[in-house]
Amino acid sequence: MEEELMRPLFTWLMPVLAWGVVLWRTPSAFTTRANRSIWGAFSAIAVALTVRPAAVATALADVTGIRDVTLLIKHLAGLVAAYFVLEYVQAVRQRPHRPGTARARLLFTGAAALALTLLFVLVLPHDYDGAFGIDAHYGDPGVQLYLAVFNTVFAVATAQAAVIFWSNRATVPPGPLRVGVTCLASAGATGFVYTLYRVYFVLSSGDATKLDADGKPVPLTDPVCELLPAVMIVLFVLGVAIPPVRTLAGYLRDQYALWRLHPLWVDVVAAVPQVVLGTPNSRLRDLLTFGDRSVDLAHRAFAIRDAALVLREDTPAPEGTVAVGTDEDLARVEARWLRTAVQHRARNLPAPAQPAVLATTGGRTPREEIAWMLAVAASYRELGGHKPA
C-alpha cells in the first residue's frame, strides 16, 4: 500500500516541482556561473523525472524505436545533473581552482556518458519496455557494469557536494543562509546514501523474476528507493531557494511597512514638503516599485521624524511631563500631537507645544526608528488622522 502511494507521488509531483524550479531560475541562468550551473542541474533533474511516467516512456519509444530508451535518458540526465552540481559547488565555493580541474570534470562526465551509451547499445538486453526493463536482468554482467558506471559518478558527485557544503557552513553567518547551505549539504548526503542503499538493495534482492499481468517485470524497488531521491531533490530546492526567498520576504516586509507608513507620511509631507526630495510617490506606485525597498523605508521613517522637528521649531516650550506607561501610550501621544500639528499647519497656525515626554522617543538605529514610526502610524490611523482624497 505504501509503495502504491509513493510511486504516484514520485512520478508526477516531483517533475512538476523540478520544472517549476527550472522556470523560476531561468532568468538568472544568464547572469553568473553559479546560476547557470544550478539551472543546468535542475533542468537535467527535471528531464530525468519527466521520462518516468509510462505515457512519456511509451511516446519516446514510439518516436525513437527503442523500447527502453527512457532508461538511457534517465541515467544520462543524472550524469549531467551530477556534473552541474559539482560546477555549482565549485562556483559558490569561491576558492582558487587548480588548472585543468574544470576540464577534468567535464572529460570525466563525458567519458561516463559515452560508456553508458555504448553499454546501453551494445551490451544491455532490450526485451522489455520502459526504464524498468533491466530489473529482470540485474544478474547480467553488462547490466552490472552499466549501473556501476552511473552509481560511481553519482556517488562521487553527491559525496563531494556534501563534504564541501558542510565544510563551508562555518564561513556562513548564522541565519537563513546557513540553513540553505545545510540543506544543500544534506541533499548531497542523501544522494550518496541513496546510491549506497540502491546498490545494497539490488545486490541483496537479485533479479526481479516476477512479471505483472502484462508480462512486464515488476520494478525492483521499495519505498526507501522512492523516498530518498524525493528527499534529496526537496532539500536541494530548499537550499537553493532559501536565499532568494529570504530576499523576497524582506521585500514584502518592507513594502508592507511602507504601506502602513504612507498615510502618516503623506500628511506630514504635505505640511512640511521640504523634508522629501523629489515628488512623493503614491501608494499604488509604491506597490509597483521593485527592488530593495529598505533604503526607501528608512528615508520615509526619518522624513517623518524630520517633519516633526520642523513642526516643533516655532512651537511654545514643551508641555509638562505626560504620564504614560508603555511604548504604545507614547506612540499614541506622538500620533495625536502630529495630527494636531498637521491640522494647525493646514490652517497656517503654529503647531501646539510638543509634550515633553516625546523628547526621548524614537529609535537609536534605523531599524528601531522604523519600528517606532510604524507604531506611531498605527495610532495615527486609529485617530483618523489621514483622510484619503
Side-chain angles (χ1 to χ4, degrees):
M1 182 65 179
E2 291 181 358
E3 186 174 352
E4 293 178 357
L5 293 175
M6 290 302 300
R7 185 170 297 281
L9 174 66
F10 186 85
T11 302
W12 296 108
L13 180 59
M14 299 312 295
V16 172
L17 174 63
W19 282 116
V21 176
V22 170
L23 293 175
W24 165 52
R25 301 289 305 186
T26 296
S28 64
F30 302 95
T31 55
T32 65
R33 174 191 170 199
N35 286 335
R36 284 191 296 273
S37 298
I38 201 64
W39 182 83
F42 277 117
S43 298
I45 290 172
V47 170
L49 294 174
T50 303
V51 300
R52 287 178 62 90
V56 177
T58 301
L60 288 173
D62 293 339
V63 170
T64 62
I66 305 174
R67 57 195 309 184
D68 57 348
V69 69
T70 54
L71 173 69
L72 179 62
I73 295 175
K74 180 183 72 173
H75 285 121
L76 290 180
L79 291 182
V80 173
Y83 166 76
F84 278 119
V85 166
L86 287 182
E87 289 298 300
Y88 175 72
V89 170
Q90 298 299 333
V92 299
R93 194 181 186 188
Q94 295 181 345
R95 293 182 182 178
H97 305 301
R98 288 181 297 178
T101 54
R103 180 177 296 179
R105 287 193 298 271
L106 181 60
L107 290 176
F108 177 67
T109 305
L114 178 61
L116 283 183
T117 304
L118 292 176
L119 289 171
F120 178 83
V121 174
L122 302 176
V123 177
L124 262 61
H126 303 284
D127 48 358
Y128 293 104
D129 296 336
F132 296 104
I134 64 171
D135 287 40
H137 301 284
Y138 275 121
D140 188 286
V143 172
Q144 292 179 346
L145 179 59
Y146 175 90
L147 293 175
V149 172
F150 175 79
N151 290 332
T152 299
V153 176
F154 199 77
V156 169
T158 52
Q160 187 173 358
V163 170
I164 292 177
F165 277 126
W166 187 260
S167 63
N168 285 343
R169 287 178 68 257
T171 63
V172 178
L177 193 57
R178 179 176 289 185
V179 174
V181 175
T182 303
C183 287
L184 290 172
S186 301
T190 303
F192 181 71
V193 170
Y194 163 72
T195 306
L196 296 183
Y197 178 81
R198 183 63 180 171
V199 171
Y200 159 77
F201 179 75
V202 169
L203 292 178
S204 61
S205 301
D207 292 355
T209 56
K210 295 182 179 180
L211 302 179
D212 60 19
D214 297 325
K216 297 179 181 179
V218 176
L220 190 59
T221 186
D222 69 349
V224 176
C225 291
E226 298 288 342
L227 181 61
L228 285 178
V231 172
M232 177 189 68
I233 294 171
V234 170
L235 287 172
F236 200 42
V237 171
L238 289 176
V240 174
I242 283 176
V245 167
R246 179 191 180 192
T247 301
L248 177 61
Y251 169 80
L252 295 176
R253 182 181 61 249
D254 291 343
Q255 284 284 51
Y256 180 56
L258 287 168
W259 178 271
R260 293 166 60 194
L261 282 179
H262 195 271
L264 174 59
W265 177 72
V266 166
D267 284 355
V268 298
V269 166
V272 190
Q274 62 267 33
V275 300
V276 174
L277 299 177
T279 304
N281 287 343
S282 67
R283 220 170 186 184
L284 178 60
R285 187 170 182 179
D286 269 343
L287 289 178
L288 298 178
T289 301
F290 302 100
D292 186 8
R293 305 308 311 278
S294 59
V295 175
D296 293 334
L297 179 59
H299 284 172
R300 194 157 296 184
F302 283 109
I304 297 173
R305 176 60 63 202
D306 291 343
L309 294 175
V310 173
L311 290 170
R312 195 177 61 182
E313 287 179 354
D314 298 327
T315 65
E319 296 176 351
T321 303
V322 177
V324 291
T326 65
D327 287 344
E328 183 178 352
D329 295 329
L330 284 173
R332 181 172 286 272
V333 170
E334 182 158 2
R336 184 181 295 110
W337 178 81
L338 282 172
R339 177 179 180 234
T340 305
V342 167
Q343 290 172 343
H344 282 206
R345 178 59 69 97
R347 297 195 295 268
N348 293 320
L349 298 174
Q354 185 183 48
V357 71
L358 296 183
T360 59
T361 58
R364 293 171 296 179
T365 65
R367 185 181 296 274
E368 291 179 356
E369 183 66 22
I370 291 169
W372 173 254
M373 282 304 168
L374 287 171
V376 173
S379 296
Y380 188 84
R381 185 172 58 252
E382 292 174 0
L383 294 170
H386 178 68
K387 301 297 182 183

